[in-house]
Amino acid sequence: TTVNPAGSAASYAIWAGDGVSNVWDVATTPNWVNSPGGTPVVFTNDSPVAFDDSATNFTVNLTTTVSPASMTVSAGNNYFLQGSGNISGSGELLKLGSGFLKIETPNNYSGGTMLAGGALYMNTNNALGSGEITLADGNTGFAAVDNPVILNNDLNITASTAYFGISGGGTIISGRSTNLTITGDINLAGAMPV
């Protein structure tokens, strides 16, 4: 899947990676392009970003705090978000495509997370920031892997079927008084204390 920003008001930075360090930083490393196969550019805060199948590497190493206007992951390949940095700001994370996104960084973005394809795996507290999490459309999956994960988010499930899975000793724990809205079926796998 390739994200096509044509016709959008803002210019997307599309992840390319460099095949070595694959660093996501601010205004330093040219691991982005404005179109698939385009000239390398650097990321600047408040720019929308996209991760698609045109990248050379699907592991992204956050080395500082970044604040994208929005973040779209639309890929059949699996993406891994890791490192010492985090995602901040008011942008939304939109997950499309059949691949999964594994997040190993604690983040504090507040725009919410929409899972409309593939799966999201969290391996740390606050991986999905502080906004509402929506599981929408098709066969979406949402899981904690390896470690207990605390969610401080409202959860809205509008998908006809959503899958929750816990593996490798992971658990999902509500970190505050959260709202859960379910309009579809939910399938649970693993232990999930309520």
Side-chain angles (χ1 to χ4, degrees):
T1 305
T2 300
V3 174
N4 183 0
S8 68
S11 174
Y12 277 74
I14 301 171
W15 177 255
D18 64 9
V20 181
S21 58
N22 300 300
V23 171
W24 182 0
D25 53 26
V26 179
T28 304
T29 309
N31 279 334
W32 304 86
V33 293
N34 284 330
S35 63
T39 303
V41 297
V42 297
F43 166 79
T44 56
N45 281 330
D46 300 318
S47 296
V49 298
F51 298 85
D52 64 18
D53 288 317
S54 68
T56 60
N57 193 288
F58 305 101
T59 297
V60 181
N61 292 306
L62 275 166
T63 60
T64 190
T65 298
V66 298
S67 298
S70 64
M71 186 170 136
T72 302
V73 180
S74 181
N77 285 293
N78 301 323
Y79 268 93
F80 300 85
L81 186 60
Q82 61 189 29
S84 59
N86 66 74
I87 301 169
S88 188
S90 60
E92 177 187 43
L93 166 60
L94 173 60
K95 172 63 185 78
L96 303 166
S98 60
F100 67 72
L101 170 62
K102 183 176 182 182
I103 302 174
E104 298 186 350
T105 59
N107 300 299
N108 59 14
Y109 66 93
S110 61
T113 302
M114 168 84 65
L115 176 59
L120 279 173
Y121 298 107
M122 304 159 294
N123 205 22
T124 188
N125 294 336
N126 301 314
L128 301 179
S130 62
E132 180 177 86
I133 300 167
T134 301
L135 305 184
D137 297 336
N139 292 318
T140 57
F142 180 75
V145 179
D146 301 328
N147 297 309
V149 173
I150 297 174
L151 290 179
N152 290 306
N153 314 70
D154 290 340
L155 184 57
N156 182 21
I157 303 171
T158 61
S160 57
T161 303
Y163 299 90
F164 282 82
I166 311 297
S167 66
T171 58
I172 297 177
I173 303 165
S174 175
R176 66 176 178 88
S177 176
T178 58
N179 294 314
L180 173 61
T181 305
I182 301 173
T183 58
D185 295 333
I186 186 167
N187 297 310
L188 302 174
M192 183 174 295
V194 179

